[in-house]
């Protein structure tokens, strides 16, 4: 794969499902990991200036080799000092020596007790340059003849040279396991990062993996997380990652999430991650305009788990109407917003071949000020691992008023073979780092059984959030020039189970007439909210547009809960009444 010096990565559109590979709650309390880079000021360059090698790389670029080096100089003195006017050179294992060119933006002086970074680069036509063994500073006196060269400092670099994006990190100290905290002292001594979750999804652009890190500031000053990248590795190939957050600022002791999206290819399974830091070199062209050459250097390798480290059995079982526990670091659902699942039912669909699972959530604002209604995404996964994304029903309001609860429905289209047992419900945030989706809650659940839903023994029918008590009913036929019609008389008492705000269409009553052969001959749908809604007391419902012109008797009246979804009508049988 051609080395990447200038990176420009297109964002993948993600609709992601959770594959949890570490416990965020446990990792939040993890201690700091091993330091990942060099010691400050390891080498004495002058009496007051010490030096470090920050990075050195040698990458193929077509038929050429690009060599880049970045060094840090520290002024240990008490006043400003000039950057030593030395040449920086490399020496290969076969004895060849090359002089690197300094960047046009390199500093000329170092303030007292401060440091500077100096960048160097060289492009060689020979694409088969042997391994770099040594980096050296040389003092050159060009005012004598022959010119005088005096070696000042030699630093061995064998085994530390980065050979491009497809390189492997072999140093055991730089190899981490999944969930192990790490630092990047070349960028900051006090920021710590912990990989916590993996999210995989196939998109039109290809397979995408989203990596979630917890970034923590262990220092005493507010810091902005510096720029670094994470690439995926598979079969000695690399796949560039893209950071989702443009800027992450951490106060002392604060923790926040960071996310990276890695777009791979079909059939590719990532086995590890490379953590890379950016470098740049500036060269002035013939027109005296600067040209920036950017590249990245690998710092750490993180092994990816071969299997999930948290199985479905480890997620908590959920009891309907309990408050759902969200990730404490999530930004979508705040602490004053309560979310609970009040109903999960299996429904028939208009078209044969699939069913619809309807999930009804209550979202309540327990605070004193209005807040946005959190537009979380819902996903179900069955015992076989198949995943189904929920479609959110149009809501009554985008704002949550204080002390009010709102009903939000989600519809899941599932195969007819789905039983609704042993399900995992996963709630995701698709807004905070759009287009990425990130998990914020998960639990085990199952669709409600008929016993749990209740039956007609006490003549109380459930259409959450409404309860309909059926006091009496009567069905009569009426003849006319156009044929027969049927008139249904219902006497009902309608109450609201909870004090919730429900939009129009949140629940409808669908009435179907079936003949003795089980054929549906007429139907009517009556809303339970909004215009022309069903009310308490006696009322008449006319069945028009019959599918037969014959008088039918006896008839069976089937009462359904009906909800409109993007895939069509979903209905759940509530009661069966016979003449």
């Amino acid at each position: 794969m051609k080395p990447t010096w200038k990176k420009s990565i297109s964002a993948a559109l993600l609709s992601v499902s959770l594959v949890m590979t570490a416990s965020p709650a446990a990792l939040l309390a993890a201690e700091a990991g091993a330091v990942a880079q060099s010691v400050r000021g390891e080498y004495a360059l002058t009496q007051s200036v010490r030096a470090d090698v920050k990075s050195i790389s040698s990458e193929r670029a077509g038929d050429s080799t690009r060599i880049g080096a970045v060094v840090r100089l520290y002024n240990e003195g008490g006043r400003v000092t000039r950057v030593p006017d030395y040449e920086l050179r490399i020496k290969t294992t076969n004895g060849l020596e090359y002089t690197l060119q300094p960047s046009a933006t390199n500093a000329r002086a170092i303030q007292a007790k401060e440091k500077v970074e100096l960048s160097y680069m060289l492009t060689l036509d020979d694409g088969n340059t042997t391994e770099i063994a040594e980096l050296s500073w040389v003092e050159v006196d060009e005012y004598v003849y022959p010119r005088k060269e005096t070696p000042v400092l030699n630093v061995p670099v064998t085994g530390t040279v980065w050979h491009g994006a497809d390189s492997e990190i072999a140093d055991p100290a730089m190899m981490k396991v999944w969930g192990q905290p790490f630092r990047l002292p070349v960028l900051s001594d006090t920021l710590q990062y912990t990989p916590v979750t993996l999210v995989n999804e196939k998109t039109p652009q290809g397979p995408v993996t989203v990596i979630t890190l917890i970034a923590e500031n262990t220092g005493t000053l507010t810091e902005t997380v510096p720029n670094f990248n994470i690439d995926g590795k598979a079969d000695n190939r690399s796949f560039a990652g893209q950071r989702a957050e443009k800027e992450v600022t951490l106060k002392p002791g604060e923790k926040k999430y960071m996310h990276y999206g890695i777009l791979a290819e079909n059939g590719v399974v990532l086995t590890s991650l490379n953590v890379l830091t950016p470098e740049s070199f500036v060269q002035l062209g013939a027109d005296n305009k600067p040209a920036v050459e950017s590249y990245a250097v690998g710092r750490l390798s993180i092994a990816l788990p071969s299997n999930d480290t948290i199985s479905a059995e480890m997620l908590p079982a959920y009891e309907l109407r309990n408050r759902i526990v969200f990730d404490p670091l999530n930004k979508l659902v705040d602490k004053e917003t309560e979310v609970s699942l009040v109903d999960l039912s299996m429904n028939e669909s208009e078209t044969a071949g699939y069913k619809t699972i309807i999930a009804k959530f209550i979202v309540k604002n327990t605070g004193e000020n209005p807040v946005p209604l959190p537009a979380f995404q819902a996903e179900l996964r069955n015992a076989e691992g198949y995943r189904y994304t929920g479609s959110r029903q149009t809501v009554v309001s985008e704002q949550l008023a204080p002390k009010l609860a709102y009903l939000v429905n989600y519809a899941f289209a599932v195969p007819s073979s789905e039983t609704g047992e042993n399900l995992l419900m996963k709630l995701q945030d698709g807004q905070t780092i759009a287009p990425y989706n990130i998990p914020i809650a998960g639990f085990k659940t199952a669709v409600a059984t008929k016993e749990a839903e209740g039956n007609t023994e006490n003549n109380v029918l459930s259409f959450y959030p409404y309860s309909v008590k059926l006091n009496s009913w009567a069905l009569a036929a009426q003849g006319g020039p156009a044929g027969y019609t049927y008139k249904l008389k219902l006497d009902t008492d309608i109450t609201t189970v909870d004090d919730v705000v429900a939009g129009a269409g949140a629940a409808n009553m669908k009435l179907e007439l079936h003949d003795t052969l089980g054929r549906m001959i007429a139907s009517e749908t009556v809303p339970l909210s909004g215009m022309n809604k069903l009310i308490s007391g006696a009322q008449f419902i006319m069945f028009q547009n019959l599918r037969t012109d014959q008088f039918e008797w006896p008839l069976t009246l089937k009462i359904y809960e009906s909800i409109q979804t993007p895939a069509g009508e979903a209905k759940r049988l509530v009661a069966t009444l016979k003449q």
Side-chain angles (χ1 to χ4, degrees):
M1 182 176 178
K2 184 177 180 179
T4 301
W5 290 75
K6 295 181 179 178
K7 295 193 174 182
S8 176
I9 307 165
S10 299
L13 298 177
L14 302 177
S15 174
V16 190
S17 60
L18 176 64
V19 180
M20 302 194 78
T21 57
S23 170
L27 290 170
L28 283 171
E31 295 183 356
V35 169
Q37 275 299 328
S38 61
V39 178
R40 172 187 172 103
E42 186 175 358
Y43 305 100
L45 188 60
T46 68
Q47 287 186 347
S48 61
V49 176
R50 300 187 67 82
D52 267 340
V53 178
K54 181 188 176 188
S55 65
I56 183 166
S57 66
S58 177
E59 300 188 44
R60 291 288 300 274
D63 295 330
S64 302
T65 298
R66 285 173 170 171
I67 299 172
V70 179
V71 299
R72 283 176 169 174
L73 301 185
Y74 303 85
N75 180 6
E76 300 295 342
R79 62 181 183 179
V80 64
T81 187
R82 182 185 176 195
V83 172
D85 191 16
Y86 300 150
E87 287 186 356
L88 188 67
R89 300 179 181 179
I90 60 163
K91 183 178 289 186
T92 65
T93 53
N94 60 357
L96 299 178
E97 189 174 80
Y98 301 94
T99 300
L100 303 178
Q101 301 301 314
S103 172
T105 57
N106 280 357
R108 307 297 183 187
I110 319 171
Q111 296 294 330
K113 304 300 180 182
E114 292 293 328
K115 73 174 184 292
V116 295
E117 282 189 6
L118 307 178
S119 179
Y120 299 82
M121 185 172 282
L122 179 66
T123 300
L124 302 175
D125 291 336
D126 181 9
N128 297 311
T129 304
T130 55
E131 182 70 28
I132 299 174
E134 190 176 83
L135 191 68
S136 61
W137 281 263
V138 178
E139 183 179 14
V140 178
D141 187 351
E142 296 182 347
Y143 297 100
V144 298
Y145 182 82
R147 77 175 195 168
K148 182 180 179 182
E149 296 185 356
T150 305
V152 178
L153 174 64
N154 297 325
V155 177
V157 294
T158 301
T160 65
V161 181
W162 179 248
H163 291 287
D166 295 337
S167 301
E168 297 289 340
I169 295 176
D171 185 353
M174 301 301 107
M175 301 175 71
K176 307 297 179 182
V177 297
W178 183 260
Q180 181 180 2
F182 65 89
R183 299 175 189 259
L184 296 169
V186 293
L187 301 179
S188 171
D189 292 324
T190 57
L191 295 180
Q192 174 181 287
Y193 313 95
T194 306
V196 290
T197 58
L198 283 173
V199 178
N200 293 300
E201 179 67 13
K202 288 186 177 180
T203 71
Q205 291 75 27
V208 178
T209 298
V210 177
I211 305 297
T212 302
L213 306 179
I214 292 177
E216 178 183 3
N217 183 359
T218 62
T220 58
L221 300 174
T222 298
E223 287 196 58
T224 297
V225 175
N227 183 29
F228 64 90
N229 203 25
I230 294 181
D231 288 356
K233 293 282 293 180
D235 300 327
N236 297 320
R237 299 177 59 196
S238 66
F239 299 89
Q242 181 185 22
R243 180 165 147 178
E245 294 87 355
K246 293 183 178 180
E247 183 173 298
V248 177
T249 300
L250 297 171
K251 297 178 181 178
E254 189 176 11
K255 300 173 183 177
K256 289 183 180 180
Y257 282 136
M258 295 176 57
H259 305 86
Y260 289 82
I262 302 172
L263 179 64
E265 297 175 357
N266 290 325
V268 171
V269 179
L270 299 182
T271 56
S272 64
L273 306 173
N274 278 349
V275 181
L276 306 98
T277 58
E279 305 291 5
S280 63
F281 176 85
V282 179
Q283 184 174 9
L284 295 179
D287 56 359
N288 211 35
K289 291 184 178 180
V292 180
E293 199 77 62
S294 299
Y295 61 102
V297 176
R299 299 294 179 180
L300 291 171
S301 175
I302 302 174
L304 294 180
S306 56
N307 297 302
D308 297 357
T309 57
I310 293 185
S311 63
E313 288 72 21
M314 297 178 65
L315 292 177
Y318 180 76
E319 184 176 345
L320 290 179
R321 307 182 73 85
N322 283 352
R323 182 172 183 172
I324 296 172
V325 179
F326 286 88
D327 185 334
L329 294 185
N330 94 88
K331 295 181 179 180
L332 187 67
V333 182
D334 61 31
K335 296 180 180 179
E336 293 184 335
T337 301
E338 291 184 0
V339 181
S340 58
L341 178 64
V342 294
D343 186 61
L344 189 67
S345 61
M346 186 78 77
N347 297 257
E348 300 175 22
S349 300
E350 272 187 319
T351 304
Y354 74 97
K355 300 177 183 177
T356 302
I357 294 177
I358 300 295
K360 296 184 178 182
F361 291 89
I362 285 182
V363 184
K364 183 178 182 180
N365 178 10
T366 64
E368 298 179 351
N369 299 303
V371 296
L373 178 67
F376 56 83
Q377 297 179 353
E379 179 187 272
L380 284 176
R381 190 175 78 180
N382 66 11
E384 289 75 35
Y386 296 105
R387 305 190 297 253
Y388 307 101
T389 301
S391 297
R392 181 182 173 113
Q393 190 178 30
T394 302
V395 295
V396 64
S397 173
E398 295 297 335
Q399 290 286 321
L400 295 177
K403 308 303 179 182
L404 283 182
Y406 295 75
L407 181 68
V408 182
N409 292 348
Y410 288 79
F412 304 83
V414 299
S416 297
S417 58
E418 179 60 55
T419 63
E421 300 175 352
N422 301 320
L423 297 175
L424 295 181
M425 176 71 76
K426 299 169 187 177
L427 305 184
Q428 299 173 321
D429 175 0
Q431 293 185 342
T432 301
I433 59 162
Y436 303 116
N437 295 296
I438 51 177
I440 55 177
F443 51 85
K444 291 186 291 187
T445 186
V447 298
T449 62
K450 291 184 178 180
E451 289 75 13
E453 294 173 0
N455 212 317
T456 57
E457 293 179 1
N458 54 3
N459 295 325
V460 175
L461 312 180
S462 175
F463 300 82
Y464 191 89
Y466 308 104
S467 178
V468 179
K469 183 179 181 182
L470 185 60
N471 297 319
S472 64
W473 68 283
L475 185 63
Q478 293 180 336
Y484 286 95
T485 60
Y486 291 89
K487 182 170 68 172
L488 174 66
K489 180 181 178 181
L490 288 180
D491 186 352
T492 60
D493 290 324
I494 300 176
T495 58
T496 302
V497 177
D498 294 312
D499 293 330
V500 299
V501 179
N508 300 306
M509 177 186 289
K510 184 170 186 177
L511 305 164
E512 291 185 358
L513 297 181
H514 291 252
D515 63 15
T516 55
L517 298 178
R519 296 173 299 185
M520 193 266 288
I521 63 171
S523 68
E524 290 291 336
T525 300
V526 184
L528 292 171
S529 62
M531 296 291 293
N532 301 317
K533 67 179 181 180
L534 191 69
I535 59 175
S536 296
Q539 55 209 295
F540 294 93
I541 298 170
M542 301 299 297
F543 288 89
Q544 308 290 345
N545 302 318
L546 270 66
R547 298 183 180 182
T548 178
D549 58 0
Q550 301 294 320
F551 173 73
E552 300 286 346
W553 190 93
L555 291 175
T556 298
L557 174 64
K558 290 189 175 182
I559 302 177
Y560 293 88
E561 178 186 32
S562 171
I563 295 176
Q564 288 297 324
T565 75
E569 180 189 46
K571 60 181 185 179
R572 174 179 60 90
L573 183 62
V574 177
T576 300
L577 308 173
K578 295 183 179 182
Q579 285 183 311

